[in-house]
Amino acid sequence: MKRILLPAGGAILATGLLAAGLAGTANAVPDWAYDTMAKDAPAATDVANFWLKANGATNNLAKATPYTWETKATPTLNAGGGYTPDGKPGVVAPTGEEKKTAAKVKNINLPKSIGKVFFVDDKNQLKWCSATSIQGKYRNLVSTAAHCVYDDKADASVADNWVFVPGYYQGKTPWGIYVGKTAYTHYDFANYEDYDRDYAFVTVYNGVQVGGGKATQVNAKEFAEYKGAKYVDEKVITEKEYDAGVEKYGYDGPFKKAFLDPKVETVAKPAAANSGNIHEYLTESGKGGVKLVGAEVVKSVWTAAGWGLENNNKYPEGKGLGAVTQISLEEYKALLAEKSAGKFDGELLEVKDNSGNVTGWTKQQFYINKWVSSTVVPKFWVESYFIAEDFIKDVGKLGDNVGGQGFTWNQKPEQTVFVFGYPADAHPDGNKAYTGVTPKWTYGKTTGKTYVQASTKVEEHIGLKSSFTPGADGGPWLAKYSNAKRLGYVNGVTSLFGDQDKNGRYDLITTPYFDGETAAIYTKASAVWSGSIVK
């Protein structure tokens, strides 16, 4: 068992649901970390509104894209030794699981429990991963990859606006949207980005759906003072309607005006432009909606362009020449890299003395001037304000709606597992076999050997041959999956993707090995209550 750090007093006593199962793991030193996501019902309501957009407009769920962390690019994982369990195997039964039944699998029925987790990453982009509902005391627990919960590029802070949507399909939330309350993962992932601990268990509030009440229209003052669910409806109007509205309600009323980004296009030189007034066209606003601007080009294009003969070249119409500017070595190297990438068109020179020694560096930029027109387009609209105390309704606990998979740990490798998720990304060679729109499955026997990758601190991953691509991150690995009951035991989550034969196609997925420490973290999370966000 690999250990990065053992904090003082880090041992945790297993209790409750897993007490019997953990009796054989007394030699393990569990090490968990947790972070609050939506701290209370009002905060959770804001998160739900962020994704659902309760005014009926296209919701943010449909705008999200699969999360792909920066080290995904065609990694090769090296085979290491086998993993040794840190105690006896243990299991927690799935919701509703009774006697085990054997069945020959022909067609795979997708679990009702799987779905997508949505969140906002450190670049403020809308992202998603795969996940599943898992059994817990309060039927409010989600299992996924830790990198789908903690932002490993932002000091391991939890991702913003984190929610789980089981059965998600093209913006639809058939069983509701479940806002994350508290995230639990291993201390070594939260603090050291150790992908051998790339798993997380998240407690979620009761699910919510749009509907269940009517929105009430209010005035702007009432809208601003209201702290609950609310939204603004905008209706585009004509300039004449805007003028009438402003006359009635004033400029602080609901009638609004704004200017869109100007429309810019190249035009011919105005007939009125000459050496005496050309300076008026060189200003920011230009003259009569037309101005003379410079576009940066490479030196060869600049050399071929004519100067023009306006006012003895004081205001050159054809082109402009930037001054030779001294720069530092660091700036020289940075601009040299940009020039190689096609992002800098200027000229870079090394300044040398008579002996040929480099004494400094300079840059110079070149411009071609052109006539453009800039048309500013106004937008007019009227706002209506609505509050909705009962607009979001509670749909109940996650486990009551979609069930929950079981949980197992310290299992021997080379077992058959079914893996579910929403693969979406293209393969490294550009081939796109999946869309991420609907969940997919893959299955087989896990590897007997563990996998190693230094960049992610991986030493103990279990592998499975699969063509799954990123987007499937966080999806469950289910042992002993019952096709009839659509239930199994979570024994891993998709973490890494590998191209082992280096042909530009993913052919391997891996999961952290679930051991006694994983079970202790699950135990902690599974006993935490969350409740409803609708009062």
Side-chain angles (χ1 to χ4, degrees), residues 84-155:
T84 302
D86 61 1
K88 294 180 180 180
V91 296
V92 175
T95 303
E97 179 74 349
E98 297 173 349
K99 294 181 179 180
K100 299 177 181 177
T101 59
K104 184 177 180 180
V105 176
K106 294 183 180 181
N107 297 310
I108 297 302
N109 296 319
L110 295 171
K112 193 177 178 182
S113 66
I114 62 172
K116 290 182 179 181
V117 295
F118 294 84
F119 53 93
V120 180
D121 69 8
D122 64 318
K123 297 178 182 177
N124 205 35
Q125 296 177 332
L126 309 179
K127 296 296 180 180
W128 56 259
C129 285
S130 302
T132 186
S133 169
I134 188 171
Q135 174 69 295
K137 180 178 180 181
Y138 296 103
R139 300 195 175 194
N140 64 342
L141 198 60
V142 175
S143 166
T144 188
H147 73 259
C148 297
V149 176
Y150 287 83
D151 196 328
D152 60 1
K153 301 303 177 188
D155 299 323

Side-chain angles (χ1 to χ4, degrees), residues 13-254:
L13 177 64
T15 58
L17 190 61
L18 295 181
L22 288 176
T25 66
N27 61 325
V29 184
D31 214 358
W32 51 271
Y34 75 94
D35 282 281
T36 301
M37 304 179 97
K39 64 179 181 179
D40 52 28
T45 300
D46 288 341
V47 173
N49 278 325
F50 173 83
W51 292 106
L52 289 173
K53 291 293 183 182
N55 61 354
T58 301
N59 63 42
N60 279 331
L61 296 171
K63 300 175 184 177
T65 57
Y67 178 68
T68 52
W69 47 282
E70 294 179 8
T71 56
K72 68 151 189 173
T74 60
T76 298
L77 294 103
N78 301 313
Y83 187 86
T84 302
D86 61 1
K88 294 180 180 180
V91 296
V92 175
T95 303
E97 179 74 349
E98 297 173 349
K99 294 181 179 180
K100 299 177 181 177
T101 59
K104 184 177 180 180
V105 176
K106 294 183 180 181
N107 297 310
I108 297 302
N109 296 319
L110 295 171
K112 193 177 178 182
S113 66
I114 62 172
K116 290 182 179 181
V117 295
F118 294 84
F119 53 93
V120 180
D121 69 8
D122 64 318
K123 297 178 182 177
N124 205 35
Q125 296 177 332
L126 309 179
K127 296 296 180 180
W128 56 259
C129 285
S130 302
T132 186
S133 169
I134 188 171
Q135 174 69 295
K137 180 178 180 181
Y138 296 103
R139 300 195 175 194
N140 64 342
L141 198 60
V142 175
S143 166
T144 188
H147 73 259
C148 297
V149 176
Y150 287 83
D151 196 328
D152 60 1
K153 301 303 177 188
D155 299 323
S157 60
V158 288
D160 292 332
N161 293 342
W162 196 97
V163 299
F164 175 57
V165 183
Y168 174 81
Y169 180 74
Q170 293 186 331
K172 302 298 190 298
T173 60
W175 292 292
I177 182 171
Y178 299 79
V179 179
K181 182 178 183 181
T182 309
Y184 291 82
T185 191
H186 199 283
Y187 185 92
D188 288 351
F189 187 92
N191 291 274
Y192 302 105
E193 299 169 19
D194 179 8
Y195 273 71
D196 271 336
R197 304 300 183 184
D198 186 20
Y199 48 75
F201 302 99
V202 180
T203 63
V204 294
Y205 291 95
N206 285 8
V208 294
Q209 281 280 31
V210 175
K214 292 184 178 180
T216 302
Q217 187 170 359
V218 296
N219 60 41
K221 183 175 183 296
E222 293 171 327
F223 181 83
E225 294 174 348
Y226 185 70
K227 303 303 181 183
K230 56 185 179 180
Y231 65 92
V232 179
D233 181 64
E234 295 182 2
K235 178 184 177 183
V236 177
I237 58 176
T238 65
E239 183 174 6
K240 184 177 180 180
E241 290 173 318
Y242 166 79
D243 291 338
V246 168
E247 184 177 352
K248 182 176 181 180
Y249 296 100
Y251 287 102
D252 294 329

Side-chain angles (χ1 to χ4, degrees), residues 462-482:
I462 302 298
L464 177 70
K465 291 182 179 180
S466 172
S467 63
F468 265 14
T469 65
D473 310 48
W477 292 38
L478 300 183
K480 300 180 181 178
Y481 183 67
S482 167

